[in-house]
Amino acid sequence: QLSQKNQQLQENKTKESTLLGLLSKMHSNDDLEERNEMAKDENEKASKENNDLHKQLQATKAKESKMKTLLGKLKDALEMSEKENKELQTQLQNQLQMHLA
């Protein structure tokens, strides 16, 4: 009878150990799920921030392209103006020489 009680006690200890192990795993799973949810939230925030930065970058590139176009137009206008100034200067010099002659 004592042997039988010892065997039951041993079985109960084994069951208790198994249950404690399962309980520990459940807590670990809860922790992992919680960390996973936090990581998902952080990932969503980072993804949104990345999308926002991408939009800003696209907008900046568009502005840069417009600025380059405007700069090119200004450069062309300046060259035309310099050319016209030289032509006018030549005409004025010719007229001056005709009056002096």
Side-chain angles (χ1 to χ4, degrees):
Q1 196 177 14
L2 188 60
S3 165
Q4 197 174 15
K5 292 268 185 191
N6 273 341
Q7 188 177 353
Q8 280 182 333
L9 184 63
Q10 195 61 39
E11 287 173 5
N12 283 346
K13 284 184 179 180
T14 302
K15 287 178 185 176
E16 182 183 354
S17 178
T18 300
L19 289 173
L20 285 173
L22 288 172
L23 187 61
S24 175
K25 282 183 181 181
M26 284 173 54
H27 284 302
S28 291
N29 282 343
D30 288 345
D31 288 346
L32 286 174
E33 285 178 18
E34 188 176 325
R35 280 191 267 160
N36 194 27
E37 284 300 316
M38 286 173 47
K40 280 183 186 177
D41 290 344
E42 288 177 22
N43 194 27
E44 285 176 13
K45 287 178 189 174
S47 180
K48 184 184 180 309
E49 186 178 342
N50 192 29
N51 288 339
D52 291 345
L53 288 172
H54 182 68
K55 287 177 186 174
Q56 288 177 9
L57 180 63
Q58 294 298 98
T60 301
K61 284 182 178 181
K63 287 177 186 176
E64 182 184 21
S65 178
K66 286 181 184 177
M67 293 292 227
K68 283 182 179 179
T69 301
L70 286 173
L71 190 58
K73 288 180 180 179
L74 281 172
K75 186 178 175 186
D76 291 345
L78 181 61
E79 288 173 0
M80 287 291 289
S81 179
E82 287 174 351
K83 185 179 177 185
E84 288 173 1
N85 280 345
K86 286 180 182 178
E87 288 174 1
L88 285 173
Q89 192 176 18
T90 302
Q91 288 176 8
L92 284 173
Q93 283 177 345
N94 289 342
Q95 286 178 3
L96 183 61
Q97 285 176 353
M98 288 175 76
H99 281 295
L100 292 176

